[in-house]
Amino acid sequence: MNKKELQAIVQADANDTKTEEKLNEFRPMLAKITVDAALNVEPDDHLSFAKYEQSEASNSRNGTTGKTLQTEDGQFEQDTPRDRAGSFKPRLVKKHQRRFTSMDDKILFLYAQGMTTREIVTTFKEMYGADVSATLISKVTDVVIEQVVEWQSRPLDAI
């Protein structure tokens, strides 16, 4: 998808966006279009030829794998391209990745502020409409628990 096509889609939907609710519905769609466009270009680099081009290479595109991707703007269905050899590794949305890392940063920030995993789940549901589990929150925080404990027990400046 080129820049003009994307601008045409944005312009068409912007005309109908007159309320905050409509804008909140529009943002996940815009994120999906952007991520789709970026992901569909990645295999070209890996395979060394563009989509629908003829090539003598033994490896080629082999459809997509669907998954639900969660962002700050909500969640949407995402189709990640694959190749026949299984050697393609997407860089933007990695294999098995279900959310963008900025969401991880927010989880860690809330956890470092002293919120429990259940409180973080409730906050994400209220703020982003994202269904995240307490188990997911625990997995994210377990990765950096040492840094969180160190930050929480740091010496504070005297007031």
Side-chain angles (χ1 to χ4, degrees), residues 60-104:
S60 63
R61 289 176 182 256
N62 189 28
T64 60
T65 301
K67 62 181 167 185
T68 302
L69 190 63
Q70 295 185 3
T71 68
E72 296 98 12
D73 298 325
Q75 58 188 26
F76 55 86
E77 290 298 314
Q78 181 63 56
D79 293 323
T80 305
R82 332 180 273 217
D83 65 339
R84 290 194 183 275
S87 60
F88 173 62
K89 292 181 176 54
R91 291 175 297 229
L92 180 62
V93 181
K94 295 177 178 38
K95 288 184 179 182
H96 310 293
Q97 181 180 347
R98 300 283 183 199
R99 62 194 183 285
F100 279 120
T101 55
S102 60
M103 188 173 279
D104 289 353

Side-chain angles (χ1 to χ4, degrees), residues 14-150:
N15 292 335
D16 294 333
T17 305
K18 306 246 187 278
T19 64
E20 185 178 347
E21 184 178 300
K22 284 285 191 183
L23 180 63
N24 289 337
E25 291 173 9
F26 177 66
R27 288 168 53 180
M29 184 191 67
L30 183 59
K32 178 180 175 29
I33 290 170
T34 306
V35 171
D36 276 342
L39 278 176
N40 283 318
V41 173
E42 285 189 27
D44 297 350
D45 184 43
H46 173 71
L47 297 171
S48 302
F49 59 92
K51 193 173 187 177
Y52 306 119
E53 266 185 24
Q54 295 293 325
S55 173
E56 299 298 319
S58 61
N59 196 7
S60 63
R61 289 176 182 256
N62 189 28
T64 60
T65 301
K67 62 181 167 185
T68 302
L69 190 63
Q70 295 185 3
T71 68
E72 296 98 12
D73 298 325
Q75 58 188 26
F76 55 86
E77 290 298 314
Q78 181 63 56
D79 293 323
T80 305
R82 332 180 273 217
D83 65 339
R84 290 194 183 275
S87 60
F88 173 62
K89 292 181 176 54
R91 291 175 297 229
L92 180 62
V93 181
K94 295 177 178 38
K95 288 184 179 182
H96 310 293
Q97 181 180 347
R98 300 283 183 199
R99 62 194 183 285
F100 279 120
T101 55
S102 60
M103 188 173 279
D104 289 353
D105 295 340
K106 287 179 175 42
I107 291 171
L108 294 174
F109 175 77
L110 294 172
Y111 187 76
Q113 297 297 316
M115 291 181 79
T116 66
T117 54
R118 304 272 179 212
E119 290 170 336
I120 294 171
V121 168
T122 304
T123 301
F124 268 77
K125 182 70 174 168
E126 290 172 1
M127 293 179 72
Y128 305 115
D131 291 320
V132 294
S133 67
T135 306
L136 172 71
I137 304 295
S138 295
K139 287 179 183 176
V140 170
T141 56
D142 286 348
V143 173
V144 293
I145 194 69
E146 289 178 20
Q147 288 100 351
V148 170
V149 170
E150 182 181 319

